Amino acid sequence: MPFDPANRPLTANEARVLATLMEKARTVPDSYPMSLNGLLTGCNQKTSREPVMTLSDAEAQEALDSLRQLTLAFETSGNRTTRWEHNFQRGVGVPEQSAVLLGLLMLRGPQTAGELRINAERWYRFADISSVEAFLDELQERSAEKGGPLVVLLPRAPGAREQRWAHLLCGAVDTSSSASAPAASGAATPALQARVQALETEVAGLRATVQRLCAELGIAPEAQAMSPPGQE
């Protein structure tokens, strides 16, 4: 019986570890199978990850042990270091193209078909967006005998041109909240607010420095600021 996320969904840590193994197998085959240290570095990357995570050695190892029990990963020995491989396609029962899409959704969060095609370049080259959509539709219509649907098409967010897809490997997705979450493009997130505040503080400091220098040089900063470019 293929892996059924409805009965035993993956945790966020398990999904990140599994998807990282899937990514590195395709993008850096020379470093694959992966050691725990290499895997941890990949899991905690600051780029191409949504959300960004900071897993510890113990958390990554716990996730690997759980994935092994689910037959989604297994360990191999080599050069005195235990290394790990994924068994996603066989364990879940999907073809290469579907595995690529699911791996990207686990790593980068919900994406449109167009975004998935672009982000898949280093994993697998899809001929066009239509081929991406065909595999997504197949994953969404997957029968219960095969383990049920593995992706869901999210409602179109206000202001968005295209709908995004999300994976179901970690369980059901709250589609109602996902529709409104990206909507408030004008609403500042806590991270954005903190960044704006830091920039305002920096600008205030720079303004004070300019005023001090202008005072030392006997220049009126207001007059200089109002002067058009190229005019004295």
Side-chain angles (χ1 to χ4, degrees), residues 160-225:
R161 295 175 56 188
E162 300 178 47
Q163 289 176 267
R164 299 180 303 159
W165 293 84
H167 73 85
L168 298 173
L169 294 164
C170 292
V173 175
D174 184 357
T175 56
S176 60
S177 62
S178 62
S180 58
S185 56
T189 64
L192 179 58
Q193 290 175 340
R195 185 177 179 184
V196 169
Q197 185 175 2
L199 288 172
E200 288 177 345
T201 301
E202 183 177 355
V203 169
L206 291 172
R207 182 181 292 116
T209 300
V210 169
Q211 290 174 342
R212 177 176 56 80
L213 291 173
C214 288
E216 293 176 356
L217 296 172
I219 300 173
E222 292 80 9
Q224 286 294 98

Side-chain angles (χ1 to χ4, degrees), residues 134-159:
F135 281 102
L136 289 169
D137 289 338
E138 186 177 280
L139 287 170
Q140 183 175 230
E141 298 165 3
R142 200 161 177 257
S143 66
E145 292 74 17
K146 294 183 177 181
L150 294 177
V151 298
V152 61
L153 183 60
L154 302 176
R156 190 189 310 275

